[in-house]
Amino acid sequence: MYVVIPAFEPGNRLPRLVSQLREADHGIRILVVDDGSGPRYGGVFDAARAAGADILTLTHNRGKGAALKAAFAEVLLLSPESAVVTADADGQHPATDILRVAQRLREDAEADRNDIVLGSRSFSGDVPTRSRWGNAASRVLFRAATGRRIQDTQTGLRGIPASLLEWSVEQPGNRFEYEQNVLLYAGRDGVGLVEVPIETVYLENNSSSHFRPLIDSVRVLLPVALFAGSSLIAFVVDTVALVLFTALTGSLIPSVIAARLISASVNFGLNRRFVFRSRGGRFGRQLGAYSLLALGLLASNIVWMTALTDIGMPLLLSKAVTELVLFVTSYGVQRAVVFRAEKLVSHPAAAHRDPIDEPGPLVNTN
């Protein structure tokens, strides 16, 4: 098993963490990724090497996601049967918590389970405001978008079974958004997520973190917002078309049908290309399944709209109530049935949608 630690301009906590892990579990190999930190930090990486880590050097900083994917590719090359635990370099993950996630991976392997293990913080106690509220917002959006309840969507302490390393390399993103993407697309691809409770640690008010609150929050939350944004766009298109067709024809049901055909086409295209990123040879199956769903939703839409307008509710208000009722069902079916993955990725070479530089040589000190 490997512990992978991406590091950009790390402090002296990194070699201490390596030493603690090596002393606690001699069966674990530690791979530290120098994400373009530069010569100034060479002493820290030398100390980590002396403590028992292998060092993988990237020529310049490419971001946490790129560093993780470079490490996964290296593990696949050197030891493809090895599981991986990812941890942060700033000391926020105690060795005991890292080993707890590693132990869960071992137990799952013995039980033939292949879930991603998340080290989940409770966010109790003295937690920086930006971290507490940032995770709360991400948690709410994540559940709304995927239907999954995750306590800690931003944890960097994760266990990845060997069978999911190739899949992990393929997921998009080079910076902090990469870890959010992994969680988002896990549901799409049928990858299980389990949580293991860990300690909530913020050293020096999290001052060592390279997470930029504004820019990186947008990066992290944007993929989540895409899930909900597509439905909102379709709702706007459907509403505008309904108002126009009703004004032109004076007939509600034909107007509902015409508006829904237009908005459904928009929603299908956006979801397939941008939301679920499900492009390829499954177009016919997806279109057929989506068409059946659209017909069912259309029938429900007509029933609800007719009933509400017949009792005197204004057209736009009845439209809003109807769409709110149908939203949850529509999204759940699209996620679980229409755009479900038929198989996981088969080879990491196809994974680098955002290519990274060739890493420097892997220095093995073991």
Side-chain angles (χ1 to χ4, degrees), residues 130-260:
R130 69 172 184 174
S131 298
R132 184 187 299 276
W133 287 104
N135 195 274
S138 178
R139 185 167 59 243
V140 170
L141 287 172
F142 182 83
R143 186 180 181 190
T146 68
R148 286 183 165 186
R149 183 193 294 271
I150 297 295
Q151 169 66 23
D152 187 357
T153 62
Q154 297 179 2
T155 178
L157 179 53
R158 303 180 178 193
I160 305 173
S163 61
L164 292 177
L165 280 182
E166 293 184 359
W167 177 87
S168 298
V169 174
E170 178 170 295
Q171 302 317 302
N174 273 349
R175 298 191 179 276
F176 286 103
E177 79 277 7
Y178 168 75
E179 291 178 312
Q180 185 77 72
N181 289 341
V182 168
L183 299 184
L184 288 172
Y185 298 125
R188 177 199 67 180
D189 292 347
V191 174
L193 302 173
V194 297
E195 296 187 274
V196 171
I198 62 171
E199 187 177 355
T200 303
V201 178
Y202 286 100
L203 301 174
E204 300 172 2
N205 203 39
N206 207 25
S207 60
S208 64
S209 174
H210 293 287
F211 188 88
R212 298 162 296 181
L214 179 59
I215 296 174
D216 290 322
S217 292
V218 171
R219 285 180 178 271
V220 168
L221 297 179
L222 182 59
V224 183
L226 285 175
F227 277 81
S230 172
S231 295
L232 178 60
I233 291 173
F235 169 76
V236 171
V237 171
D238 199 40
T239 301
V240 171
L242 177 64
V243 171
L244 290 177
F245 288 141
T246 303
L248 291 173
T249 66
S251 180
L252 176 62
I253 293 180
S255 297
V256 169
I257 294 174
R260 182 49 54 94

Side-chain angles (χ1 to χ4, degrees), residues 12-312:
N12 290 324
R13 295 189 185 99
L14 174 60
R16 287 201 296 269
L17 176 60
V18 172
S19 179
Q20 292 167 358
L21 289 170
R22 292 292 293 165
E23 291 175 1
D25 191 334
H26 295 291
I28 282 180
R29 296 190 66 179
I30 303 167
L31 179 58
V32 173
V33 183
D34 175 3
D35 186 20
S37 301
R40 178 182 173 187
Y41 295 87
V44 177
F45 290 104
D46 288 342
R49 182 184 294 110
D54 300 330
I55 308 297
L56 181 65
T57 303
L58 303 184
T59 57
H60 64 279
N61 177 251
R62 294 301 305 271
K64 187 177 184 182
L68 287 171
K69 288 191 280 189
F72 298 159
E74 193 73 26
V75 173
L76 283 166
L77 180 65
L78 297 177
S79 182
E81 299 303 318
S82 294
V84 167
V85 177
T86 66
D88 293 343
D90 55 9
Q92 310 284 14
H93 300 142
T96 52
D97 284 338
I98 295 172
L99 296 174
R100 183 175 294 115
V101 172
Q103 180 59 29
R104 176 57 186 266
L105 275 178
R106 291 183 177 119
E107 294 171 356
D108 284 357
E110 292 177 358
D112 199 27
R113 294 190 294 264
N114 294 290
D115 300 327
I116 291 177
V117 180
L118 305 175
S120 180
R121 298 163 292 181
S122 64
F123 294 95
S124 59
D126 187 17
V127 178
T129 301
R130 69 172 184 174
S131 298
R132 184 187 299 276
W133 287 104
N135 195 274
S138 178
R139 185 167 59 243
V140 170
L141 287 172
F142 182 83
R143 186 180 181 190
T146 68
R148 286 183 165 186
R149 183 193 294 271
I150 297 295
Q151 169 66 23
D152 187 357
T153 62
Q154 297 179 2
T155 178
L157 179 53
R158 303 180 178 193
I160 305 173
S163 61
L164 292 177
L165 280 182
E166 293 184 359
W167 177 87
S168 298
V169 174
E170 178 170 295
Q171 302 317 302
N174 273 349
R175 298 191 179 276
F176 286 103
E177 79 277 7
Y178 168 75
E179 291 178 312
Q180 185 77 72
N181 289 341
V182 168
L183 299 184
L184 288 172
Y185 298 125
R188 177 199 67 180
D189 292 347
V191 174
L193 302 173
V194 297
E195 296 187 274
V196 171
I198 62 171
E199 187 177 355
T200 303
V201 178
Y202 286 100
L203 301 174
E204 300 172 2
N205 203 39
N206 207 25
S207 60
S208 64
S209 174
H210 293 287
F211 188 88
R212 298 162 296 181
L214 179 59
I215 296 174
D216 290 322
S217 292
V218 171
R219 285 180 178 271
V220 168
L221 297 179
L222 182 59
V224 183
L226 285 175
F227 277 81
S230 172
S231 295
L232 178 60
I233 291 173
F235 169 76
V236 171
V237 171
D238 199 40
T239 301
V240 171
L242 177 64
V243 171
L244 290 177
F245 288 141
T246 303
L248 291 173
T249 66
S251 180
L252 176 62
I253 293 180
S255 297
V256 169
I257 294 174
R260 182 49 54 94
L261 287 174
I262 295 173
S263 65
S265 298
V266 171
N267 186 244
F268 176 79
L270 289 174
N271 285 351
R272 185 172 190 270
R273 182 172 179 83
F274 298 109
V275 178
F276 297 98
R277 301 177 68 93
S278 185
R279 291 165 283 181
R282 300 186 300 272
F283 179 83
R285 181 192 67 77
Q286 292 167 352
L287 182 60
Y290 187 90
S291 298
L292 290 176
L293 171 64
L295 287 173
L297 292 175
L298 176 60
S300 298
N301 190 286
I302 291 174
V303 171
W304 278 88
M305 289 283 292
T306 301
L308 292 175
T309 53
D310 282 350
I311 63 174

